[in-house]
Amino acid sequence: MRILLADDHELVRETIAAFIENEDGFTVVQSSDLTGVEKALVAHDPFDLVLLDYEMPGMNGLNGLQKIMDAVRPRPVALISGSASKSIAEEALEMGAAGFLPKTVAAKSLVNAIRFMAMGEKYAPIDFMTQEEEETAHPLKDVLTERELQVLSGLTRGLANKEIAREIDLQEVTIKLHVKTLCRKLEAKNRTHAAMIAKEAGLF
């Protein structure tokens, strides 16, 4: 069984590869980023399973998963991660990933899951997929009022003050004041910079 394992953390990657290769009939090719994965797909015979680390360079969220799934279809591609949330795992499975493996999974379970996915089955650990996700408040929400967040939402969508005023039923002059306050609180140079800060922080 031929596995392509991609993870930018060398120690983690080599440890997982050692677990897999300890089993009879497994061969592992390793890569540290998405570019390396693409090169390996060209350089080697088809793999029975491709395992991609969600956070490694080149992945760009789930875009990298989609790219590799398109390249190797119908062969299985799965995600492995130490920090991705349950919602990311669910989205990956909905996209057609063969499975999701948290890096906390036990070595024996890991090998069994890989065997399972390589045979065309879907895998995701039940305890991980059924856990309740904690609602974490975004730090920017602590410094902004509800009205300021509404105005900031408009800025991130490229709306003019007049359009934001119409949308949330306020006077345009009031929107201008909110924008000024927003820029001060976010330490933004202007409205565009404020929108950029909000987007980079993942607020919208």
Side-chain angles (χ1 to χ4, degrees):
M1 200 171 279
R2 297 165 49 74
I3 310 296
L4 174 54
L5 171 64
D7 192 310
D8 60 323
H9 292 99
E10 191 175 351
L11 182 62
V12 172
R13 187 179 71 243
E14 291 185 351
T15 303
I16 294 171
F19 281 140
I20 299 170
E21 289 185 320
N22 242 5
E23 299 290 309
D24 288 337
F26 278 96
T27 304
V28 180
V29 172
Q30 298 182 40
S31 176
S32 60
D33 55 29
L34 199 71
T35 302
V37 169
E38 291 172 308
K39 287 177 181 174
L41 292 176
V42 173
H44 297 270
D45 290 334
F47 292 94
D48 295 293
L49 175 68
V50 178
L51 262 180
L52 303 173
D53 174 42
Y54 176 68
E55 295 90 0
M56 72 177 175
M59 281 295 281
N60 190 19
L62 291 171
N63 291 339
L65 171 67
Q66 186 66 62
K67 192 175 185 181
I68 301 305
M69 286 197 305
D70 290 342
V72 303
R73 207 180 301 278
R75 292 178 180 271
V77 182
L79 268 190
I80 185 164
S81 177
S83 63
S85 63
K86 183 176 76 168
S87 56
I88 294 289
E90 287 170 344
E91 195 176 341
L93 292 167
E94 282 170 17
M95 286 168 62
F100 178 85
L101 282 168
K103 288 181 183 175
T104 50
V105 72
K108 193 68 187 170
S109 300
L110 173 78
V111 174
N112 288 338
I114 286 170
R115 207 185 290 276
F116 199 62
M117 291 185 290
M119 291 189 299
E121 301 293 337
K122 293 250 184 188
Y123 176 84
I126 290 169
D127 56 347
F128 180 84
M129 298 306 290
T130 54
Q131 71 185 5
E132 290 295 321
E133 283 194 44
E134 289 181 25
E135 189 71 33
T136 53
H138 197 287
L140 283 183
K141 287 186 176 176
D142 292 339
V143 297
L144 302 178
T145 66
E146 188 60 39
R147 190 63 89 186
E148 285 164 355
L149 284 167
Q150 290 175 332
V151 174
L152 187 55
S153 169
L155 296 184
T156 61
R157 287 176 283 133
L159 299 183
N161 287 349
K162 191 182 293 183
E163 294 170 307
I164 298 172
R166 198 178 305 126
E167 189 177 87
I168 59 177
D169 198 24
L170 287 177
Q171 294 294 318
E172 189 177 346
V173 66
T174 309
I175 301 299
K176 281 182 183 175
L177 287 172
H178 279 310
V179 171
K180 192 174 179 181
T181 307
L182 273 172
C183 289
R184 180 176 51 77
K185 285 184 175 182
L186 299 178
E187 296 181 1
K189 298 183 185 75
N190 50 43
R191 60 193 291 126
T192 307
H193 189 207
M196 195 184 304
I197 290 169
K199 283 181 178 176
E200 285 177 355
L203 196 56
F204 297 104

